[in-house]
Amino acid sequence: MISPTTIEAIKAQLTGHLQSRTVWDEVPALFTVHQGMLESARLAEMPVPEWVWSTVQHPPTAVAALAAGMGGMPRFPDGSHLMVRPGFGRLIGVAFRYEAYALSSDSPHPAVQETIRRRQAHGSVPRYKDIPGRIEQRCISAVDLDGGRYMASSNRLDESRSEATDPSLHYLAFDNPKRESLSGNVIDAVIRLLNAIKPVPAKDGAL
C-alpha cells in the first residue's frame, strides 16, 4: 500500500514539475514515479526518442503503443523492467506530461459556448485548438500501483506570454466512487504503461 504521506509527496512532485516548465510547445514526456526515503516521491524521466511523438502525433496513442512494446521486453532477475531505472527507489507509479486545450464554461466567447452546447447534446465539435477562446494547458497525469489517479494542469495566461496559472491537481483513490471522472484515453494509456513495466515475479525470459 502507498501511504497517505507518499500520496501527498506524489502530488507535490507533479505540481512542482509543472511549475518548473518555462516554455510551451514541448514534446510530451513520460516518467516513472518512485518512493524515496521517509515516504518521499521522485520522478525519473523515461528515455523516449523524440521521433516517437512526431511519428505518432496523438500522444496518448503513442503512450499506448510504447506500453504494448514494453510489455514484451525481458526483465531483470528480480522481476524489474528494463525501462525502470535502478537506484531510484521502489516503483510506485507512472506519469505523463503533455499539452492540451480545454474549454471553460465561463468563457464569454460565442464559439466556446456553442461548442459546449453541441458537446452536451452529443453532437460533433471542432478540435479544441481551432476554437477561439480555448485555453492552452500544461498537464501531467499519473497512476499509482494502488489504483490512484492524479491529474494536474496549469492554464496559459495569454498566448503572447509564457506565464501560467499555479497548477491545480485532482486525485482520486481506487475506492473513490467518483474515480471514473478521471478517465479517458490519457489515463487508459498511462494505466497500460504502468501495467507493462510494474514489477512481476521472476520467470523464464529474465536477463
Side-chain angles (χ1 to χ4, degrees):
M1 295 289 291
I2 299 172
S3 72
T5 302
T6 301
I7 289 171
E8 291 303 314
I10 294 172
K11 293 178 182 178
Q13 285 289 310
L14 299 177
T15 55
H17 180 78
L18 287 189
Q19 287 176 322
S20 72
R21 313 318 297 170
T22 59
V23 299
W24 291 86
D25 299 321
E26 290 188 292
V27 295
L30 287 168
F31 304 86
T32 48
V33 184
H34 302 262
Q35 184 168 6
M37 297 178 62
L38 302 176
E39 299 182 293
S40 61
R42 185 177 185 183
L43 301 181
E45 186 167 356
M46 300 178 70
V48 179
E50 189 170 333
W51 63 260
V52 170
W53 308 112
S54 59
T55 301
V56 184
Q57 295 187 4
H58 185 242
T61 301
V63 175
L66 288 167
M70 292 179 190
M73 293 174 65
R75 292 174 177 265
F76 291 111
D78 64 356
S80 61
H81 197 276
L82 293 176
M83 294 299 292
V84 178
R85 296 169 63 178
F88 272 67
R90 181 171 74 97
L91 178 73
I92 56 174
V94 166
F96 173 40
R97 188 196 73 225
Y98 53 98
E99 294 182 8
Y101 294 96
L103 303 181
S104 171
S105 59
D106 297 330
S107 173
H109 288 265
V112 171
Q113 293 301 319
E114 174 62 13
T115 301
I116 291 174
R117 185 195 67 78
R118 291 171 62 179
R119 185 182 63 192
Q120 292 174 341
H122 306 291
S124 62
V125 298
R127 297 180 66 181
Y128 284 5
K129 75 178 186 66
D130 298 325
I131 300 172
R134 80 287 187 274
I135 300 169
E136 192 170 3
Q137 292 183 318
R138 291 191 186 103
C139 307
I140 187 165
S141 296
V143 295
D144 65 36
L145 288 175
D146 287 347
R149 300 179 180 185
Y150 309 73
M151 197 279 190
S153 62
S154 295
N155 295 341
R156 190 169 187 171
L157 293 175
D158 186 276
E159 288 187 359
S160 63
R161 300 160 55 196
S162 62
E163 291 87 351
T165 60
D166 288 334
S168 62
L169 185 140
H170 301 281
Y171 163 76
L172 294 173
F174 181 77
D175 58 357
N176 191 307
K178 297 182 179 180
R179 178 167 156 270
E180 289 307 312
S181 64
L182 274 181
S183 60
N185 53 25
V186 170
I187 286 291
D188 288 346
V190 177
I191 290 172
R192 289 187 189 185
L193 182 60
L194 180 59
N195 287 336
I197 67 171
K198 66 184 181 182
V200 299
K203 59 183 179 180
D204 292 343
L207 294 178

